[in-house]
Amino acid sequence: MSYPRNYYVESNPNILSSVITKHPLATLTVIQEGKINTVFVPLTLSDDHAYFLGHATKDNPIFHADGIIQAVFHCEDYYLSPAVIPDIKLPTWLYANVIVEGELALIATDDEKYASMQAQITHFEQFSNSDWQLDSVPANQRQSLFNAINFFKVKINSMHGAFKLSQNQSSDIRAKIKTHLQPLKPAMYSLLV
């Protein structure tokens, strides 16, 4: 038996990228000296979707990982009760997550660091309805920032979604679930087909 079950696996890169773009805070899991470490870092996809861009303090465990890094991007989740959808027999938990495995590499030059930081700022500023720019920080302060943190790329080796959205239910039940979720969980609603 494979896990997650095949009907819960999402592999459409456009759908996966959409979830990552809307929910960029990744849960990163790394193994360091035989110990599992979990950290939280916002990541953005490169334009060609081949890697992620990120930055973190130099003492972050991701910079001392033994090999592959795993990133999980969490969409919305929801407890679904038979009291709400009587056609389901048991309660269930709905969720949509994207799991990525990749290799981390440091970004070395100041020009690359600036471009990476600016790409992330441009992406994240849309969530605050702002257009703040990195150039508003004086050059000497930017340089201090660049010296204090590590900028990195994560080359994407594999990516798939674990979308448990009642795919094992009939189309009628799924339609009822979708109608129920529309006002409550719009991101999840958009993923239901």
Side-chain angles (χ1 to χ4, degrees):
M1 174 186 240
S2 67
Y3 188 85
R5 293 186 175 167
N6 288 338
Y7 47 80
Y8 294 142
V9 175
E10 178 59 61
S11 57
N12 182 315
N14 294 327
I15 293 172
L16 299 176
S17 297
S18 173
V19 169
I20 292 167
T21 299
K22 293 174 186 168
H23 305 278
L25 183 63
T27 303
L28 298 176
T29 304
V30 299
I31 297 175
Q32 178 186 14
E33 298 174 1
K35 181 182 174 194
I36 296 173
N37 285 298
T38 303
V39 297
F40 308 95
V41 178
L43 299 174
T44 53
L45 275 166
S46 62
D47 290 338
D48 63 2
H49 293 197
Y51 56 89
F52 291 105
L53 298 172
H55 59 274
T57 58
K58 291 184 176 186
D59 61 346
N60 194 303
I62 63 174
F63 302 118
H64 308 287
D66 301 335
I68 300 294
I69 287 177
Q70 184 183 71
V72 179
F73 297 88
H74 304 274
C75 188
E76 296 177 326
D77 60 272
Y78 186 74
Y79 172 80
L80 186 63
S81 170
V84 174
I85 307 292
D87 295 333
I88 64 172
K89 305 294 182 234
L90 294 169
T92 190
W93 203 273
L94 305 177
Y95 57 84
N97 301 312
V98 177
I99 300 106
V100 179
E101 289 187 1
E103 301 167 45
L104 184 138
L106 292 177
I107 295 173
T109 71
D110 285 347
D111 287 344
E112 288 177 301
K113 291 176 183 179
Y114 180 90
S116 174
M117 177 71 89
Q118 188 56 56
Q120 287 199 285
I121 288 169
T122 299
H123 178 74
F124 297 142
E125 282 296 307
Q126 70 180 314
F127 299 116
S128 68
N129 296 319
S130 172
D131 63 353
W132 185 85
Q133 296 291 315
L134 186 56
D135 287 337
S136 66
V137 177
N140 63 335
Q141 289 179 350
R142 276 196 317 263
Q143 190 58 51
S144 292
L145 170 73
F146 289 178
N147 293 337
I149 60 178
N150 281 338
F151 292 79
F152 61 92
K153 294 180 180 182
V154 176
K155 180 182 173 283
I156 299 171
N157 293 341
S158 68
M159 179 167 51
H160 73 276
F163 287 17
K164 186 174 176 282
L165 300 171
S166 294
Q167 294 94 320
N168 59 334
Q169 299 291 338
S170 71
S171 58
D172 290 343
I173 293 173
R174 288 177 51 80
K176 290 176 184 176
I177 292 169
K178 187 170 184 172
T179 299
H180 174 72
L181 290 176
Q182 185 175 11
L184 303 171
K185 298 289 183 175
M188 184 176 283
Y189 166 84
S190 70
L191 296 172
L192 282 162
V193 290

